[in-house]
Amino acid sequence: MDRKWTGAALGGLLLSMTLSAHAAGTNYDKDASRLLASGKFKTATAQIDKDYERIVGDIVTLTEIEAPPFKEEQRARVYQRMLQEHGLSDVEMDEVGNVMGLRKGTGSGPLVVIAAHLDTVFPAGTDVKVRREGHTLHAPGIGDDTSSLPVLLAFVRAMDAAGFKTRSDILFVGNVGEEGPGDLRGTRYLFNKSKYKDRIGYFISFEPGHAGRITNGGVGSKRYKVTFTGPGGHSFGAFGLVSPAFALGQAIEEFGKIQVPKTPKTTYNVGLIEGGTSVNSIPFAMSMTVDMRSAGKAELDALEQQFLAILPKAVAAENAARSTAKGEVAYKLEAVGDRPVGHTDLDKSISRIASAVSRAGGIEPQFGSSSTDSNVPMSLGIEALTLGGGFESSRAHSLDEYVQLDKPQDVHSMSLGLATVLMLAGVK
Ligand SMILES: [Zn+2]
């Protein structure tokens, strides 16, 4: 996860306008207030409160099982057992390694899927032992997104304790592949190939953070590794031959001149440059790995096209500038990431419900854009949001990552997450 918050109060304003404009059928604000004031909901919240140390304990247990991209299985197996112990049905691990279990509803509402991702960015061998200092828990990966996995389990216990029945089935998922190299493979599978793919009406991904943070924009990205190759040679003896280094330099210079819109925010970066043999050799290979992002699909596509057009020109310019007697400079393109752009409008039920619950809980909703598991359903037109799961974390993706425990606020946030799930699944 990496996210950015924008349009704090504006979101709420737009939403109230939308509500008054076509509030004909449903008044989510009233429903949310009624739900939060109900005895059952208070029982559910009391259960979360009572469970707090258990939730923290589960965060520690799961954090200490490393889960690098593509190596989530050990953590997944433990989480699968936890899902099983919570009495969910159809508990399984799918083909790509997602683990899930169903809490059956009473009727025929659309399937509600709630998920937290199993993977962290840290490579195998990273020290993931948790250090607790007062109200702070330190360990790589502890916030993003390990802190959200036990929250889903706490929801099950709270619903059971309060005797909540829902119209919809709710699928609880610990998914693989959210972070960088995973390229959203877990949710991609869920929405394109799994047995649930045609039933999913609503999707919520829980990531670190308190309630009120609503990610309704999915920033898309395209990532490429470009390798320029050439004949190579001695820097002195073969001077005058074409060089992949100059082609690479030219491509980077042109890439850096591209003008991108501020809105929707569109960006590019050269993150890695590799290659060469020695200081006295004309290199035979040089590569760069680039990242392009946008919250707008058309803008991302346009940027990608401009980038791709630069490459043959840079190669042609180098082949024209120096001798090709021993061979030409060429390039090879490798796609290393492709995250779809998506968006869930503020007038969709899921956005209105999440906002109404947040306001009923005394928190003004803040809308933002980010790149998360929700990108996949958003890009398919399925109502999806990423919400703060309850625990505030800092220094995500660094070895200094930590979670700051604040019991009253964490419990309140979790209870609002639960209320959103309950309303989506058809409980009033
Ligand atoms: Zn994350």
Side-chain angles (χ1 to χ4, degrees):
M1 174 203 72
D2 54 332
R3 57 170 88 179
K4 199 180 134 293
W5 304 103
T6 49
L10 184 65
L13 181 67
L14 283 175
L15 203 83
S16 343
M17 285 164 59
T18 313
L19 276 175
S20 50
H22 26 194
T26 328
N27 187 333
Y28 291 122
D29 281 306
K30 218 164 124 192
D31 289 347
S33 299
R34 201 185 307 139
L35 173 64
L36 263 56
S38 71
K40 265 187 168 182
F41 189 75
K42 287 182 176 149
T43 305
T45 303
Q47 182 65 39
I48 294 173
D49 187 85
K50 202 174 94 191
D51 265 358
Y52 189 74
E53 280 305 320
R54 175 174 176 181
I55 298 166
V56 171
D58 284 347
I59 292 174
V60 173
T61 300
L62 290 166
T63 300
E64 291 184 344
I65 307 167
E66 60 177 23
F70 297 96
K71 290 176 190 157
E72 300 98 334
E73 185 172 351
Q74 202 195 342
R75 179 182 288 188
R77 289 289 177 207
V78 172
Y79 193 62
Q80 184 181 6
R81 201 158 55 237
M82 290 173 166
L83 292 168
Q84 205 128 35
E85 285 162 4
H86 281 72
L88 298 177
S89 72
D90 301 82
V91 174
E92 62 174 315
M93 177 181 279
D94 70 17
E95 214 174 288
V96 295
N98 297 318
V99 289
M100 63 200 79
L102 208 56
R103 189 177 189 272
K104 292 262 205 241
T106 56
S108 54
L111 180 64
V112 176
V113 177
I114 62 175
H117 64 87
L118 294 159
D119 57 316
T120 74
V121 296
F122 302 97
T126 303
D127 181 4
V128 288
K129 184 89 189 132
V130 178
R131 186 164 46 88
R132 186 169 183 167
E133 284 172 6
H135 294 292
T136 313
L137 301 173
H138 299 263
I142 192 157
D144 183 9
D145 187 25
T146 319
S147 67
S148 302
L149 290 162
V151 174
L152 305 193
L153 304 173
F155 288 172
V156 179
R157 297 194 295 272
M159 280 191 259
D160 289 351
F164 270 121
K165 298 231 184 309
T166 57
R167 204 162 48 237
S168 297
D169 292 352
I170 304 172
L171 186 68
F172 293 78
V173 182
N175 64 275
V176 296
E178 194 271 346
E179 299 291 359
D183 210 26
L184 309 181
R185 68 193 181 97
T187 30
R188 261 183 233 277
Y189 183 87
L190 194 65
F191 284 92
N192 293 304
K193 291 188 178 155
S194 78
K195 66 183 184 195
Y196 296 108
K197 69 181 171 71
D198 299 320
R199 288 181 53 198
I200 306 172
Y202 301 107
F203 177 83
I204 295 179
S205 163
F206 285 99
E207 288 272 6
H210 284 143
R213 292 184 183 174
I214 304 175
T215 300
N216 71 317
V219 175
S221 63
K222 304 258 186 190
R223 291 166 181 172
Y224 286 103
K225 180 174 183 180
V226 190
T227 305
F228 295 89
T229 55
H234 195 283
S235 64
F236 189 73
F239 179 69
L241 295 184
V242 288
S243 167
F246 293 126
L248 176 83
Q250 169 117 8
I252 291 177
E253 189 184 349
E254 292 303 318
F255 190 35
K257 288 180 189 162
I258 295 178
Q259 297 294 314
V260 285
K262 277 204 170 62
T263 321
K265 187 173 178 181
T266 304
T267 65
Y268 53 80
N269 181 51
V270 180
L272 275 174
I273 295 175
E274 298 159 285
T277 315
S278 70
V279 69
N280 57 345
S281 302
I282 300 168
F284 52 83
M286 294 285 281
S287 70
M288 63 171 167
T289 306
V290 308
D291 170 62
M292 295 171 274
R293 300 186 186 217
S294 180
K297 186 177 176 345
E299 290 76 9
L300 183 59
D301 290 346
L303 173 58
E304 182 189 27
Q305 287 317 311
Q306 289 180 77
F307 167 71
L308 294 177
I310 285 169
L311 306 175
K313 281 188 199 154
V315 163
E318 177 59 13
N319 285 329
R322 269 164 280 275
S323 167
T324 56
K326 298 290 178 199
E328 297 192 339
V329 162
Y331 75 96
K332 189 181 88 193
L333 195 62
E334 191 187 339
V336 293
D338 182 1
R339 292 175 178 235
V341 179
H343 196 261
T344 297
D345 290 334
L346 295 180
D347 63 354
K348 297 287 186 209
S349 304
I350 196 168
S351 306
R352 294 171 63 193
I353 288 172
S355 305
V357 165
S358 184
R359 275 195 301 273
I363 300 171
E364 193 54 37
Q366 299 190 357
F367 292 88
S369 291
S370 176
S371 175
T372 68
D373 279 316
S374 293
N375 280 44
V376 173
M378 284 173 180
S379 74
L380 297 170
I382 295 167
E383 293 192 26
L385 295 174
T386 296
L387 301 179
F391 289 91
E392 201 64 70
S393 88
S394 299
R395 304 277 297 128
H397 294 201
S398 86
L399 294 172
D400 304 326
E401 188 169 355
Y402 64 90
V403 162
Q404 191 70 48
L405 301 177
D406 178 346
K407 187 174 172 186
Q409 243 197 329
D410 301 346
V411 170
H412 184 54
S413 285
M414 285 187 263
S415 77
L416 296 183
L418 173 63
T420 303
V421 174
L422 288 170
M423 282 184 66
L424 284 174
V427 160
K428 293 205 170 172

